[in-house]
Amino acid sequence: MNEKIRLLLKLFTPQRRKPDPRHAMPKADRDLSGKTIVFTGGTDGIGRVAVSMLYEMGASLVLLGRDTAKGESIVKDLAASDGRGTATFERCDLSSLQSVKASGDRILATQPQIDALVNCAGVNAMTDRLSQDGFATNWAVNYLAPVLLTRLLLGRLRASAPARIVNLTTDTAYLDRLDLDMMETDPTLGQKDSYAGSKLALEMFSVDLAHDLKSFGVTVNLQHPGYIRSNLLRNLRGIERVMQGLMRIMASPTEVGADRIVRQVASSAFAGVTGVIIAEDEQRPHHAEVGDTAKRERLARLTDKILAPWL
């Protein structure tokens, strides 16, 4: 079956209603006291639910977001809950690499230990709107920003080992290939299939980083939480926009996606596991492009060139 048709059909197939009890974490894994977790995208959707779960487990959270009022409100809500953790908010606009750089520097100045970094924030922009630095918004927020933030915090993560990096992704199977020719010639990094392309690029980066960090006690994995009711649906266009109501009904609730993220951050089942992608509770093969070493190296060179002013 054509991959695009398969994915479209899945949008209208009822998804899981609650977390799979077969993957429930043991009690020992649910104590995150003394663990510091830097988390992007924790002010909305599955990220918001995930940070509540991590806070309840006693984690010390550093939440990144661009809306200061919303972020500070969430910190207050967490403090008023029955959770055992702590939380601070760090303003960071992922569409601005300078903002990411400034935020990373402030985190390093205030957090002597980072046990996990969760790059959960994402956008599926359906327009040609560019980021503050002139890149396609999807590329800026979904790829350049998490790569820059990860590289800025990498030394602290290594010093805090064992540590984990979890990068949120999506189903990129329908994308045939990453068009590096287009990316290298178009200063915006191009608009066509930029959401799936940006996530595929993040997958390629994650696999390389996992290899580089394997001997340092830092794992790097990808999490595709499945078809979840989230704010990404707000950017739909065309026929998908018309069917948005039905799609929301069919999608799994945010708690399912949040549970999947938290498992990958905290479960002992993932101790020492690195370089894999977990999709809807199961390990899946990487996109075929990820196996092209030369292409990953070419993407890495382009990324280094772009991010050099902020590193």
Side-chain angles (χ1 to χ4, degrees):
M1 181 185 296
N2 179 280
E3 190 65 26
K4 289 186 178 180
I5 296 176
R6 184 188 71 80
L7 291 174
L8 184 60
L9 289 174
K10 186 175 182 179
L11 295 180
F12 300 100
T13 303
Q15 304 297 298
R16 185 185 297 280
R17 298 292 94 191
K18 57 184 179 180
D20 190 335
R22 294 175 300 174
H23 300 293
M25 291 193 299
K27 185 177 180 180
D29 292 350
R30 301 181 68 82
D31 184 5
L32 298 180
S33 302
K35 301 293 186 181
T36 299
I37 301 173
V38 177
F39 201 113
T40 73
T43 60
D44 284 304
I46 59 175
R48 175 66 181 87
V49 177
V51 299
S52 293
M53 296 170 64
L54 293 168
Y55 187 90
E56 183 178 346
M57 296 177 191
S60 176
L61 298 167
V62 182
L63 308 179
L64 277 64
R66 64 179 179 177
D67 189 327
T68 301
K70 179 186 287 187
E72 292 179 347
S73 176
I74 289 171
V75 169
K76 290 181 181 178
D77 288 345
L78 290 171
S81 71
D82 295 330
R84 300 178 291 111
T86 63
T88 59
F89 177 75
E90 175 65 50
R91 188 185 182 283
C92 180
D93 183 350
L94 295 178
S95 69
S96 164
L97 294 175
Q98 181 55 44
S99 180
V100 176
K101 165 65 172 171
S103 181
D105 288 345
R106 289 193 295 270
I107 291 171
L108 291 175
T110 58
Q111 305 298 327
Q113 174 180 320
I114 301 176
D115 299 280
L117 167 63
V118 183
N119 288 304
C120 180
V123 64
N124 186 6
M126 307 293 284
T127 67
D128 292 343
R129 180 168 57 91
L130 300 180
S131 74
Q132 294 185 33
D133 303 297
F135 302 110
T137 299
N138 287 335
W139 278 103
V141 175
N142 300 333
Y143 178 65
L144 295 176
V147 170
L148 177 58
L149 182 63
T150 300
R151 292 180 65 177
L152 290 170
L153 302 183
L154 205 51
R156 191 60 44 85
L157 284 156
R158 284 175 50 176
S160 305
R164 300 183 185 188
I165 299 171
V166 178
N167 293 326
L168 272 286
T169 188
T170 190
D171 194 335
T172 59
Y174 73 88
L175 185 67
D176 293 332
R177 66 187 183 91
L178 190 64
D179 191 345
L180 286 178
D181 292 332
M182 172 274 295
M183 290 176 64
E184 289 177 337
T185 57
D186 185 339
T188 74
L189 299 183
Q191 306 291 326
K192 181 176 174 54
D193 288 326
S194 60
Y195 176 66
S198 64
K199 291 297 188 179
L200 177 54
L202 186 64
E203 185 176 348
M204 297 168 81
F205 164 77
S206 299
V207 167
D208 277 336
L209 188 62
H211 179 269
D212 293 343
L213 295 177
K214 196 167 187 178
S215 62
F216 293 97
V218 181
T219 61
V220 186
N221 293 300
L222 294 123
Q223 167 62 225
H224 169 35
Y227 181 42
I228 305 295
R229 195 174 302 138
S230 76
N231 286 337
L232 284 176
L233 294 178
R234 68 176 178 262
N235 295 315
L236 295 177
R237 297 290 185 274
I239 186 62
E240 291 180 341
R241 180 70 174 183
V242 174
M243 302 299 291
Q244 184 183 41
L246 179 59
M247 292 167 68
R248 282 190 174 276
I249 294 172
M250 296 300 182
S252 295
T254 52
E255 289 76 13
V256 172
D259 179 75
R260 288 166 173 163
I261 294 171
V262 170
R263 283 190 64 247
Q264 212 158 337
V265 172
S267 174
S268 56
F270 292 100
V273 176
T274 193
V276 305
I277 178 169
I278 304 297
E280 300 179 55
D281 303 320
E282 304 293 339
Q283 184 173 334
R284 299 277 180 85
H286 285 291
H287 191 288
E289 289 274 273
V290 177
D292 188 335
T293 303
K295 195 160 194 175
R296 294 202 318 269
E297 291 175 348
R298 186 179 170 192
L299 173 65
R301 288 193 297 271
L302 174 61
T303 305
D304 288 345
K305 180 180 179 181
I306 292 171
L307 296 182
W310 293 278
L311 289 170

